[in-house]
Amino acid sequence: MAMIVTFFLVPLGSAVYYALVDFNGINPQPPFVGADNFVELFGDPKVWAALKNNAIWIVLGTAAPLAIGLGLALLMWAVRRGSIFYRVAFFFPYVLPQVAIGVVWGWIYDPVRGWLNQALETVGLGSLATGWLGNPDTALYAVLGTAVWATTGFVFIIFLSALRNVDMELVEASRLDGTNPFQRLWHIILPQIMPVFLMVTTITLIGGFSVFDIIFIMTGGGPAGATEVLGTYAYSSAFQLNRISYGTALALVITVLAVPFAVGLNRLQRRLSLQGTGA
């Protein structure tokens, strides 16, 4: 309780206070403005543009790691020889610092010296080469691709561990009954790992709401706001424009949007886990 009060309730109360005043970072007694920051927020077109980018990030940034991670886990499920090497290789990007990932992938996307454009030209697809981080049409998806690359290893390791607990007798029985791989995955495997699946979904989904560091490092929200999300807009409002209260209000909106998803998925995961144990 002491830790919850110190590291959650006190900061939350402080954030609510600053969202209700007009604090510029200097005035020790900021004037009370009530809900003015929130009223301005809902009428700010930049907020809606950032929220749209967040929505794209949440959908693709959740679905892609889940699909790729589960696919890799299924491929590695029966592998015994060299399995440790593969697990370490796939998981390694997840433990790298986000700053290092952003810098290295910035080099990869470089329009002149980046190996991505050079590789496209080598295979005869030079027409697809572009300034990936400088093009408003591709910048968000380029950064998102980097984030998916960095996150998939975590999803892969969790799913692979969950697959070790799947009842193989049911899988073999369904195979003898003539089911195809997709039917076995949908009706036999996924129901047994669903609590873990929901846990991973919750983690990646919340990450989509609160994403900041990888975007800030690679594009800073540009070009022309093409990669701006609520997190980067809150940061720029608070620390670059000295609108501390407005940035805090944006941060609270992120929390309000993310909490219902986290609570709902957590309750569903708990219910499925209790059903699995017969409780």
Side-chain angles (χ1 to χ4, degrees), residues 53-65 68 101 105 109 132-133 138-152 204 207-208 211 214-215 218-219 227 229:
N53 290 336
N54 266 108
I56 295 173
W57 193 286
I58 290 167
V59 174
L60 297 181
T62 300
I68 299 172
I101 292 174
W105 276 86
Y109 287 133
W132 298 95
L133 299 179
T138 60
L140 179 64
Y141 301 100
V143 180
L144 182 55
T146 302
V148 169
W149 174 83
T151 306
T152 298
T204 54
V211 59
I214 193 71
I215 294 178
M218 296 185 70
T219 64
T227 61
V229 292

Side-chain angles (χ1 to χ4, degrees), residues 10-110:
V10 171
L12 180 61
S14 177
V16 172
Y17 165 75
Y18 282 113
L20 297 177
V21 299
D22 185 15
F23 183 52
N24 59 6
I26 300 174
N27 187 357
Q29 295 181 334
F32 180 80
V33 296
D36 287 359
N37 287 315
F38 295 97
V39 173
E40 179 184 353
L41 183 152
F42 288 112
D44 188 346
K46 290 185 178 181
V47 171
W48 296 105
L51 185 59
K52 177 184 175 182
N53 290 336
N54 266 108
I56 295 173
W57 193 286
I58 290 167
V59 174
L60 297 181
T62 300
L66 289 176
I68 299 172
L70 181 59
L72 291 173
L74 290 170
L75 289 173
M76 290 293 302
W77 189 7
V79 174
R80 294 294 180 265
R81 186 174 183 180
S83 62
I84 295 178
F85 168 78
Y86 289 116
R87 290 201 298 269
V88 172
F90 287 127
F91 187 71
F92 182 69
Y94 184 74
V95 301
L96 291 175
Q98 291 288 305
V99 173
I101 292 174
V103 170
V104 171
W105 276 86
W107 295 340
I108 293 173
Y109 287 133
D110 187 277

Side-chain angles (χ1 to χ4, degrees), residues 5 14 53 65 103 107 110 121 139 154 179 193 195 217 226 240 249 251 275:
V5 170
S14 177
N53 290 336
V103 170
W107 295 340
D110 187 277
E121 300 217 0
F154 167 77
T179 59
I193 67 170
I217 294 163
Q240 294 177 349
Q275 289 175 358

